[in-house]
Amino acid sequence: MKKAAVIGGSGYGAGEIIRRLLLHPEVELTRVASIDYVGELLCTAHPNLEGLSELRFENLPPEQAADGMDVVLLGLPHTVSSAFVPRLLDSGATIIDLSGDFRLDDVAAYERYYQTVHPCPELLDQAVYGLPELNRAAIAKARIVASPGCFATATALGMLPLAR
């Protein structure tokens, strides 16, 4: 059984990840960190989770949230995730980032498209674009997985047969 934590658990994307983790037969969702809803049941922010978990939101530093975890999922806003990732690497957990912070491996492209400086460009080449149809083998070995966005996924999957 893999142990998982979610950091930034009060948003919409994190709510869907939490729901899927709670239903996954090989994952134990152990903690959900958030600066919102601290001490409240997960269903306070995500009513669809009512009755699925007795977990409560905790206000934890990233290192503490990741302690003992096999995987840490970041449901944090864009540019916030990249500030957390360096603090999580020593935990040994696989990090899955739902934001766009690690989707591009080129610093110049990142700065051009996101119009901000990446806080840890030295980690971009360690991240794997998390679309299994394209990168299944690399994802299995990655320490940082960049979750693709919904529009990019739809476009990539639609174009994949043509590209191949």
Side-chain angles (χ1 to χ4, degrees):
M1 190 74 104
K2 299 277 187 185
K3 290 187 173 227
V6 174
I7 298 176
S10 64
Y12 175 78
E16 183 59 18
I17 291 298
I18 291 167
R19 183 184 70 79
R20 291 174 181 260
L21 291 172
L22 288 172
L23 298 173
H24 198 292
E26 298 174 22
V27 176
E28 177 190 357
L29 180 60
T30 305
R31 62 182 66 106
V32 179
S34 178
I35 58 171
D36 299 315
Y37 303 101
V38 175
E40 300 288 333
L41 291 170
L42 301 182
C43 64
T44 304
H46 309 294
N48 62 314
L49 301 179
E50 188 166 358
L52 292 180
S53 175
E54 292 301 312
L55 282 175
R56 294 178 181 273
F57 291 104
E58 299 179 77
N59 187 3
L60 300 169
E63 300 86 350
Q64 189 176 349
D67 187 39
M69 298 297 109
D70 298 298
V71 62
V72 176
L73 297 102
L74 301 177
L76 298 165
H78 175 65
T79 70
V80 176
S81 283
S82 54
F84 278 62
V85 169
R87 298 172 63 186
L88 296 168
L89 287 173
D90 286 341
S91 73
T94 298
I95 302 159
I96 301 175
D97 179 30
L98 300 180
S99 82
D101 285 356
F102 291 92
R103 291 178 185 158
L104 300 174
D105 59 4
D106 179 271
V107 176
Y110 176 92
E111 291 177 0
R112 181 172 62 248
Y113 292 118
Y114 292 108
Q115 298 179 348
T116 188
V117 175
H118 200 286
C120 49
E122 70 282 0
L123 297 179
L124 291 177
D125 64 348
Q126 294 181 41
V128 173
Y129 191 69
L131 190 60
E133 293 80 359
L134 294 175
N135 295 322
R136 186 173 307 277
I139 292 168
K141 296 183 261 180
R143 287 287 319 283
I144 304 169
V145 178
S147 178
C150 54
F151 295 126
T153 297
T155 302
L157 292 179
M159 298 300 290
L160 191 56
L162 179 62
R164 287 186 172 153

